[in-house]
Amino acid sequence: MKFQNIISETANGITTITINRPSKLNALNRETIQELHDALEQAEEDSKTKVVIITGAGEKAFVAGADISEFADFSVEEGGNLAAKGQELLFDFVANFSKPVIAAVNGFALGGGLELAMAAHFRIASDNAKMGLPEVSLGVIPGYGGTQRLPQLVGKGRAMEMIMTAGMIDANQALQYGLVNHVTTLEELIEFTNKISGKIMKNSSVAIASAIRAINANYEDGENGFEVEIEEFGNCFGTEDFKEGTQAFLEKRKADFPGK
Ligand code: COA
C-alpha cells in the first residue's frame, strides 16, 4: 500500500510505522489518521507482523498534535464528529489492537500526539521528548481520549494539572509519572524498542492478544475485567500455543509457538 504521510516497513516481525510530515512536526491531519488506520489494518492481517512500533520522522517531534489548521473553523457538530471519527479510526483501534503496539516517542508528543502514544500499549521515550495536552490553551479540550487515558496512566491529580496548565513535561518526569516505561537517548530509541519487541515476540502471540483484551476490559464501561480474564484464560487452553508452551516447559526446551 502506498502512503503519502507515513512510512510502514516490516522486518524481523516488527512493523515500524513512521509518521512522516516533519515540516509540520508530524501533526495528524485527516489523511494521516486514515493512513495510520490503513497501515494498522494491514499489519493486523499480515502474519509476518508480531509487534507494531509507531514513531515520528525527524529528530524533533513524535507528533505535535492534531493539525490545528484543519479544525480552526469547525462548528459544534463538526468538532464532535472529528473527535468521534478519530477515536474510532485510530485511537481506539490502536488501544484494542490484537498485536502489541509500542509508541517510540522521539520528541514532542503534544495533544493528539500524546493521545496516540497513550492509546499504544506502552511507551518508550527519547531523552529529548516533551509531552503535554495543550488543548485548553487553544480553547478546546483533548478529544482523542486524552481526558480518559492520561488519568488512567498518571493519576487524576497529575492529569488535572497537566491538562489545566497546558504545560509540557520532559522525558524524565514522564518516567517518574509512569507515562513512559523507559527513557533512552534519541540514537538508541529504535534499537531499544526493537530489543523489547524481540522479548515480546518470543512469547505466544495468541496469549498476548488475550492479555490485551483482559487488561483493556478494566477500562471499558459495562465490562467486568475479572470475568473477561476468566474467559480469556479458559480460551488459552484450547490453543496450539498453550500445548506447545507447556510441553516445551516439561521437556526443558524453548517453546516454538505456532501462533495459533
Ligand atoms: N498543527 C498544525 N501545524 C503544526 C502543529 C499542529 N499541531 N504543530 C506544529 N505545526 C507546524 C507549524 O505551524 C509550523 O509550520 P510552518 O513552518 O508552515 O509555519 C511547523 O509545524 C513547525 O512548527 P513551529 O511552531 O515553527 O516549531 P517550534 O519549534 O517553534 O515549536 C511547538 C514547536 C511544538 C512548541 C509548536 O509547534 C506548537 O506549539 N505546536 C502546537 C502544539 C499543540 O497545541 N498541539 C495540540 C493541538 S490540539
Side-chain angles (χ1 to χ4, degrees):
M1 211 179 282
K2 257 293 203 202
F3 299 113
Q4 301 298 321
N5 303 287
I6 65 168
I7 301 163
S8 181
E9 295 162 315
T10 303
N12 306 318
I14 302 170
T15 295
T16 304
I17 301 177
T18 306
I19 300 155
N20 189 30
R21 295 180 78 212
S23 69
K24 295 288 174 195
L25 302 186
N26 304 322
L28 296 177
N29 60 2
R30 208 176 300 121
E31 269 174 23
T32 308
I33 289 179
Q34 184 64 51
E35 288 188 3
L36 283 165
H37 173 89
D38 294 345
L40 283 160
E41 205 165 51
Q42 203 173 40
E44 179 105 78
E45 283 160 18
D46 187 350
S47 62
K48 289 199 289 299
T49 301
K50 306 292 178 205
V51 174
V52 174
I53 296 173
I54 302 179
T55 194
E59 299 190 343
K60 198 167 165 184
F62 172 71
V63 171
D67 193 320
I68 299 167
S69 66
E70 275 192 351
F71 60 76
D73 61 356
F74 271 13
S75 66
V76 169
E77 197 187 356
E78 287 169 321
N81 287 341
L82 179 76
K85 190 153 183 230
Q87 289 194 19
E88 186 188 334
L89 262 184
L90 184 57
F91 298 82
D92 290 350
F93 197 65
V94 167
N96 296 312
F97 206 65
S98 68
K99 302 177 186 184
V101 182
I102 309 172
V105 180
N106 59 311
F108 287 115
L110 301 175
L114 181 56
E115 289 172 301
L116 178 59
M118 291 194 296
H121 297 138
F122 62 93
R123 290 141 293 283
I124 300 170
S126 54
D127 51 17
N128 64 323
K130 292 242 164 36
M131 284 159 256
L133 293 178
E135 284 85 350
V136 298
S137 72
L138 299 167
V140 67
I141 66 166
Y144 289 146
T147 65
Q148 306 304 299
R149 293 196 177 99
L150 187 62
Q152 285 166 7
L153 288 163
V154 305
K156 186 176 169 184
R158 287 167 170 165
M160 284 281 192
E161 184 181 338
M162 281 179 70
I163 290 171
M164 288 174 183
T165 62
M168 294 183 208
I169 59 171
D170 65 18
N172 282 322
Q173 195 163 6
L175 183 65
Q176 195 199 326
Y177 276 12
L179 184 54
V180 303
N181 291 10
H182 307 274
V183 176
T184 71
T185 63
L186 182 59
E187 294 72 37
E188 287 167 338
L189 178 63
I190 295 301
E191 191 187 328
F192 183 84
T193 311
N194 284 343
K195 204 180 278 179
I196 296 203
S197 304
K199 285 189 188 172
I200 292 172
M201 285 188 285
K202 289 195 181 122
N203 300 313
S204 159
S205 57
V206 190
I208 286 172
S210 282
I212 292 170
R213 279 194 290 275
I215 293 168
N216 279 346
N218 184 45
Y219 303 100
E220 278 158 26
D221 260 357
E223 286 276 23
N224 179 324
F226 289 96
E227 279 172 13
V228 175
E229 181 183 277
I230 289 166
E231 191 186 326
E232 291 295 340
F233 180 81
N235 286 343
C236 291
F237 286 72
T239 68
E240 288 180 32
D241 276 11
F242 174 73
K243 287 191 183 66
E244 167 60 12
T246 47
Q247 201 75 35
F249 178 81
L250 296 172
E251 290 169 8
K252 300 192 187 304
R253 62 174 172 82
K254 280 208 170 109
D256 180 13
F257 290 110
K260 289 183 203 161

